[in-house]
Amino acid sequence: MKIFALADTHLSLGCKSKPMDIFGDNWKDHHVVIGQNWNNIVSERDIVLVPGDVSWAMDIKQAQADLDFICSLKGRKILLRGNHDYWWSSVSRLNSLYKEKGIYFLQNDCFFIDDKRAICGTRGWKTPQEATEKDDIKVYKREVGRAKLSLEAAMRKGCEEIIYMCHYPPLLKDGTETEIDALIHEYPVKNVVYGHLHGKKNFLWGFKGQRNGVNYNLVSADYINFSPKLIIGEE
């Protein structure tokens, strides 16, 4: 089994199309490219992490075509909410609807890969240093709480190694520590995957590489050429 990650699929198969080519011509028919690349490298035994901005849909009915597209791809998929996933409703309802379809929606809990390894995470938000609206700090604090809920859920079940998913980068390019990043380092997190950033200039805003024993991976679709990035496993 291998674990891959690809964020920001930004699908709009069941709602009004949202052009992504403002970030480059490489976004043309990007869902077709994602599907081809995904099925070329992922097997049914593998897991693919999708940390946010899955669909432009405004409700679950509109999102159905996008989620069905993801269901059609190989492997087990673990989805996290992004800032544009307005269709995301009750997580228990979502998991009930897609329980038999190979998708797990992660929120306030964890997903065990095997007896000792788990996937944890939360969306994240603008850090207090980046806050532009009066509610930004309130939302960020709530996300810190959700991160702790997820991490603690894994530890209660005897987890020894964690892959942490988030939509917003938990660590900025200059290595400025955030509350979520500090929390990550209190637990046995080995790998972090995040998205949200698009376009060459914006790619620079998230920290990438290793810091204090944790590997940080930017997996926005356009950053990794619309092909799932291998996180754990051999090429």
Side-chain angles (χ1 to χ4, degrees):
M1 180 191 68
K2 298 177 181 178
I3 299 175
F4 296 87
L6 185 148
D8 302 279
T9 51
H10 284 293
L11 301 171
S12 56
L13 301 176
C15 61
K16 183 178 179 181
S17 178
K18 293 279 190 175
M20 290 293 292
D21 56 5
I22 59 170
F23 294 109
D25 293 338
N26 54 336
W27 282 94
K28 181 177 174 58
D29 296 325
H30 72 281
H31 75 283
V32 176
V33 178
I34 286 173
Q36 291 172 344
N37 290 338
W38 185 310
N39 284 335
N40 281 339
I41 65 173
V42 175
S43 77
E44 294 293 359
R45 295 181 61 252
D46 298 332
I47 292 174
V48 183
L49 311 179
V50 185
D53 281 3
V54 178
S55 168
W56 283 112
M58 298 301 292
D59 56 45
I60 188 61
K61 184 176 180 181
Q62 286 186 347
Q64 184 175 341
D66 297 332
L67 295 173
D68 286 348
F69 170 74
I70 291 175
C71 286
S72 74
L73 303 175
K74 292 179 181 178
R76 183 73 186 267
K77 303 91 181 178
I78 313 299
L79 271 57
L80 190 75
R81 188 176 188 175
N83 60 306
H84 291 299
D85 287 317
Y86 299 111
W87 55 272
W88 188 291
S89 57
S90 162
V91 71
S92 58
R93 178 170 180 254
L94 289 171
N95 278 319
S96 177
L97 288 171
Y98 286 87
K99 183 178 180 180
E100 306 300 328
K101 297 183 179 181
I103 293 181
Y104 185 81
F105 299 86
L106 183 70
Q107 184 174 303
N108 297 341
D109 63 351
C110 62
F111 179 88
F112 268 75
I113 304 166
D114 51 37
D115 291 343
K116 299 298 182 183
R117 297 183 296 171
I119 310 295
C120 295
T122 194
R123 175 185 60 185
W125 199 250
K126 297 176 183 177
T127 65
Q129 298 96 316
E130 303 169 290
T132 56
E133 303 292 337
K134 64 179 182 180
D135 288 337
D136 282 341
I137 294 177
K138 179 180 178 181
V139 175
Y140 184 79
K141 293 289 187 181
R142 184 178 66 202
E143 290 297 308
V144 173
R146 287 178 168 174
K148 189 172 182 66
L149 284 174
S150 178
L151 291 161
E152 283 295 321
M155 299 309 292
R156 284 196 301 271
K157 298 174 184 176
C159 180
E160 295 180 0
E161 182 177 328
I162 293 172
I163 299 174
Y164 188 84
M165 298 173 67
C166 42
H167 183 61
Y168 284 79
L171 185 62
L172 304 184
K173 62 178 180 179
D174 60 359
T176 298
E177 189 176 75
T178 65
E179 286 186 64
I180 288 181
D181 188 62
L183 190 62
I184 286 170
H185 286 279
E186 294 178 13
Y187 295 84
V189 176
K190 300 300 181 185
N191 288 280
V192 171
V193 298
Y194 68 93
H196 185 63
L197 306 178
H198 301 299
K200 290 182 179 179
K201 290 183 179 180
N202 291 327
F203 290 153
L204 300 175
W205 284 99
F207 182 87
K208 299 175 285 293
Q210 189 174 89
R211 179 177 179 268
N212 296 335
V214 178
N215 292 309
Y216 294 80
N217 302 273
L218 172 58
V219 294
S220 299
D222 47 336
Y223 182 72
I224 56 176
N225 297 318
F226 304 94
S227 183
K229 179 177 179 179
L230 181 66
I231 305 300
I232 292 179
E234 297 181 358
E235 293 283 359

